[in-house]
Amino acid sequence: MASITLNRKRILIAVLCLIAVLYWITVVFSDLRQLGFIRVQSFNAEVDEKTPAFVAPRPIGEGTANATLLFLARNSDLGGVLSSMGHLEEHFNKRAGYPWVFLNEEEFTEEFKTRVTAATAAPVSFGLIPHEHWFQPDWVDEDRASEGRRKMASQGIIYAGSVPYRNMCRFNSGFFFHHPLLQPYRYYWRVEPDIKYFCDVTYDPFDYLRDNNKIYGFTISFYEWEKTIPTLWETVKKFIAEHPQYVSDENAMNYLSDNGGERYNLCHFWSNFEIADMDFWRGEAYQAFFKYLDDTGGFYYERWGDAPVHSIAVSLFAPKDRLHFFRDIGYRHEPFQHCPNGEDWARGKCACNSFDTLDYAPQSCIRRYEKLFLQ
């Protein structure tokens, strides 16, 4: 009996030692990785996009692109707005000096404007969204819309019963770039309350898009909830059939579909972060596309989000090489984040754990995006 007890103790000690060794290896590997001594490649190094070479940050007020930082917010969002501004000012805009544009379906309060203006040395503008661009149109069948909301609520879908959320999705899909305050600008960086940036942005992303002929940049890509968009893809297919001239020969259909467009695989770019070219949204193809979608009432009868709408449009109506994964910009919008690794992590002095990233998790679509450049 004493021999059996002794053997058990030895086994327990051995197991504990093995756990300690594995923990030590994990910690050391993480430290070396974050310091840049170990670079963890994506699933295929051949498709890694080259990040821009290091460029010394410009002094404030010397950003060269025709661009703005765009914030859709309500007065009640003030705390989250100031937090997000603090992150982006610290990591980028205090050196670049790009102007901020704030939009709201109601007038901003004096407190909101005073505190936001004090949070940056850059110019700030505050705009009211036109009624017809925000609220549910009169031609929408409210009985049908309310039944759609009730059905989604019974399925436990987030924002299922919210009309304001649908207003926001429709506005972000088809109207924000028409606002008078945005007419002077071509490029925008979308910012939302309570988001976080982890890394110093050591170059100008607007310049990068302009100089490399890109129209859309993202940091996170994953699957949409199919129950929110049950008829969206069939509507897209009808539009394509009626307007084949808008589909680019070098499109990214293989990011959206695994069978040549028969079915939508639900991949999309998470649009709460996007750095993009408004000339694309203002162009003929997208204008026709949005009107076609809007005329169906799907933003209200279902819960079509601006993320799949934007993603489908840029993937179909532009060549795939005009899209860009900003893999070096660390970003978090609860509950997901993208954290760079290796040289990108070190150069940006990132304050995030590069293991804590959605990039190659099962629900991520980054691998599908990267495969586009192997085809």
Side-chain angles (χ1 to χ4, degrees):
M1 181 66 70
S3 175
I4 294 174
T5 301
L6 181 60
N7 286 337
R8 287 177 176 173
K9 288 182 178 178
R10 287 173 177 171
I11 292 171
L12 178 60
I13 291 172
V15 170
L16 292 174
C17 289
L18 179 60
I19 292 172
V21 170
L22 292 173
Y23 175 79
W24 180 82
I25 291 173
T26 301
V27 170
V28 170
F29 181 85
S30 176
D31 289 344
L32 289 173
R33 179 184 182 182
Q34 293 190 1
L35 288 171
F37 295 113
I38 297 177
R39 179 176 176 87
V40 178
Q41 300 287 353
S42 57
F43 85 106
N44 191 314
E46 295 178 13
V47 301
D48 276 348
E49 293 180 299
K50 293 181 179 179
T51 54
F54 178 83
V55 177
R58 295 185 179 89
I60 192 165
E62 292 188 10
T64 64
N66 180 19
T68 186
L69 308 177
L70 174 62
F71 216 129
L72 179 64
R74 291 174 168 165
N75 292 302
S76 58
D77 294 324
L78 180 57
V81 166
L82 294 174
S83 176
S84 298
M85 289 184 70
H87 275 269
L88 195 49
E89 285 288 326
E90 176 64 25
H91 290 295
F92 171 67
N93 204 50
K94 71 179 182 182
R95 297 181 294 272
Y98 281 104
W100 291 84
V101 171
F102 287 82
L103 301 179
N104 189 352
E105 80 271 21
E106 299 178 346
E107 292 285 357
F108 285 108
T109 64
E110 289 305 314
E111 179 190 8
F112 187 100
K113 291 189 285 188
T114 298
R115 295 186 63 185
V116 163
T117 302
T120 177
V124 184
S125 301
F126 301 93
L128 179 66
I129 297 170
H131 184 280
E132 63 273 17
H133 288 178
W134 183 263
F135 293 97
Q136 179 176 303
D138 293 339
W139 53 261
V140 169
D141 183 341
E142 175 53 26
D143 290 340
R144 181 180 172 187
S146 60
E147 175 58 23
R149 296 194 298 271
R150 185 204 62 76
K151 181 179 179 181
M152 285 191 180
S154 70
Q155 297 172 320
I157 295 173
I158 189 171
Y159 305 123
S162 174
V163 176
Y165 185 84
R166 289 167 171 81
N167 292 340
M168 178 190 69
C169 290
R170 179 172 177 261
F171 173 76
N172 281 330
S173 294
F175 297 107
F176 77 90
F177 44 86
H178 291 311
H179 194 280
L181 289 180
L182 291 172
Q183 295 317 294
Y185 303 110
R186 177 174 177 179
Y187 299 97
Y188 70 100
W189 184 330
R190 178 167 160 180
V191 189
E192 295 201 350
D194 293 308
I195 52 89
K196 296 179 175 66
Y197 287 94
F198 299 117
C199 311
D200 290 343
V201 181
T202 57
Y203 62 97
D204 190 323
F206 296 124
D207 283 349
Y208 181 80
L209 260 63
R210 181 196 61 201
D211 296 343
N212 292 277
N213 197 30
K214 306 289 186 179
I215 62 165
Y216 191 86
F218 66 95
T219 57
I220 292 174
S221 172
F222 61 103
Y223 298 102
E224 179 62 295
W225 196 346
E226 188 170 14
K227 292 179 180 179
T228 66
I229 54 167
T231 68
L232 175 59
W233 190 248
E234 289 304 315
T235 307
V236 171
K237 288 166 64 176
K238 291 177 183 177
F239 177 81
I240 293 172
E242 294 177 25
H243 303 281
Q245 71 273 22
Y246 294 137
V247 180
S248 171
D249 292 338
E250 300 297 325
N251 64 68
M253 175 65 87
N254 289 339
Y255 165 75
L256 302 172
S257 175
D258 302 326
N259 51 16
E262 182 60 29
R263 287 183 55 82
Y264 179 31
N265 63 24
L266 306 176
C267 282
H268 68 286
F269 307 120
W270 213 19
S271 60
N272 47 64
F273 172 101
E274 54 187 14
I275 304 176
D277 184 346
M278 284 184 283
D279 281 359
F280 177 81
W281 309 132
R282 294 163 178 155
E284 179 181 335
Y286 187 78
Q287 287 293 289
F289 179 63
F290 172 74
K291 184 178 187 307
Y292 194 92
L293 298 184
D294 195 35
D295 285 348
T296 69
F299 289 100
Y300 292 97
Y301 300 143
E302 297 176 12
R303 206 215 70 187
W304 295 355
D306 54 275
V309 170
H310 281 187
S311 302
I312 290 169
V314 296
S315 296
L316 294 182
F317 308 141
K320 61 187 178 184
D321 63 5
R322 301 192 71 186
L323 309 178
H324 181 66
F325 175 22
F326 279 108
R327 61 177 71 248
D328 53 346
I329 297 180
Y331 171 77
R332 183 177 184 87
H333 184 296
E334 294 293 342
F336 302 120
Q337 75 178 34
H338 162 70
C339 184
N341 65 68
E343 294 173 5
D344 292 332
W345 189 96
R347 184 174 66 237
K349 303 176 183 177
C350 300
C352 56
N353 182 345
S354 55
F355 283 109
D356 184 8
T357 187
L358 188 70
D359 293 0
Y360 302 106
Q363 67 269 44
S364 173
C365 291
I366 291 298
R367 283 186 175 88
R368 293 180 187 273
Y369 171 79
E370 290 181 327
K371 285 180 180 178
L372 290 173
F373 302 96
L374 295 176
Q375 297 163 354

